């Protein structure tokens, strides 16, 4: 599990992997590169850009955004949390 980057804003997202283990991933820039259906649970269909660079895999499920468990939220609420948290990240075109 990588430590958080030393400088600049980060967004912590906890994913549940297909083997049921949890992994913390720190995003440091947008575009996040996460592609998922607009429903819960939020399961990665495809990853690209930043998500691919930092090791996110298709099939992983978002469990937490920061310290907040999103598994019992509606998609709309969970997506808003993810969007609001990512708005603090610099927008870096890859």
């Amino acid at each position: 599990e990588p430590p958080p980057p030393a400088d600049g804003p980060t967004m912590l997202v906890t994913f549940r992997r297909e083997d049921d283990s949890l992994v913390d991933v720190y995003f440091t820039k947008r575009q996040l590169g996460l592609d998922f259906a607009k429903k819960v649970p939020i399961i990665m269909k495809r990853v690209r850009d930043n998500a691919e660079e930092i090791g996110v895999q298709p099939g992983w499920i978002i469990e937490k955004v920061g310290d907040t468990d999103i598994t019992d939220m509606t998609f709309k609420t969970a997506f808003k949390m993810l969007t609001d948290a990512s708005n603090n990240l610099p927008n870096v075109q890859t």
Side-chain angles (χ1 to χ4, degrees), residues 41-60:
I42 299 177
I43 303 172
M44 299 305 101
K45 287 196 305 190
R46 287 193 313 256
V47 294
R48 59 190 187 287
D49 304 330
N50 191 24
E52 188 173 40
E53 288 172 25
I54 59 179
V56 178
Q57 299 291 315
W60 288 11

Side-chain angles (χ1 to χ4, degrees), residues 5 13 21-22 27 31 40 50 65 70-71 76 87-88 92-93:
V13 178
S21 63
L22 298 178
F27 289 86
Q31 303 290 334
V40 290
N50 191 24
V65 176
I70 67 162
T71 56
K76 185 177 179 180
N87 283 340
N88 296 321
V92 179
Q93 298 299 322

Side-chain angles (χ1 to χ4, degrees), residues 9-72:
T10 61
M11 179 181 73
L12 171 62
V13 178
T14 303
F15 290 92
R16 181 171 299 279
R17 294 184 275 211
E18 292 181 308
D19 66 1
D20 239 19
S21 63
L22 298 178
V23 61
D24 289 338
V25 176
Y26 291 89
F27 289 86
T28 57
K29 62 187 177 185
R30 296 180 293 161
Q31 303 290 334
L32 298 181
L34 301 175
D35 184 14
F36 45 83
K38 292 178 174 33
K39 63 181 183 177
V40 290
I42 299 177
I43 303 172
M44 299 305 101
K45 287 196 305 190
R46 287 193 313 256
V47 294
R48 59 190 187 287
D49 304 330
N50 191 24
E52 188 173 40
E53 288 172 25
I54 59 179
V56 178
Q57 299 291 315
W60 288 11
I61 301 169
I62 298 179
E63 291 272 314
K64 291 186 189 174
V65 176
D67 292 330
T68 306
D69 186 325
I70 67 162
T71 56
D72 290 329

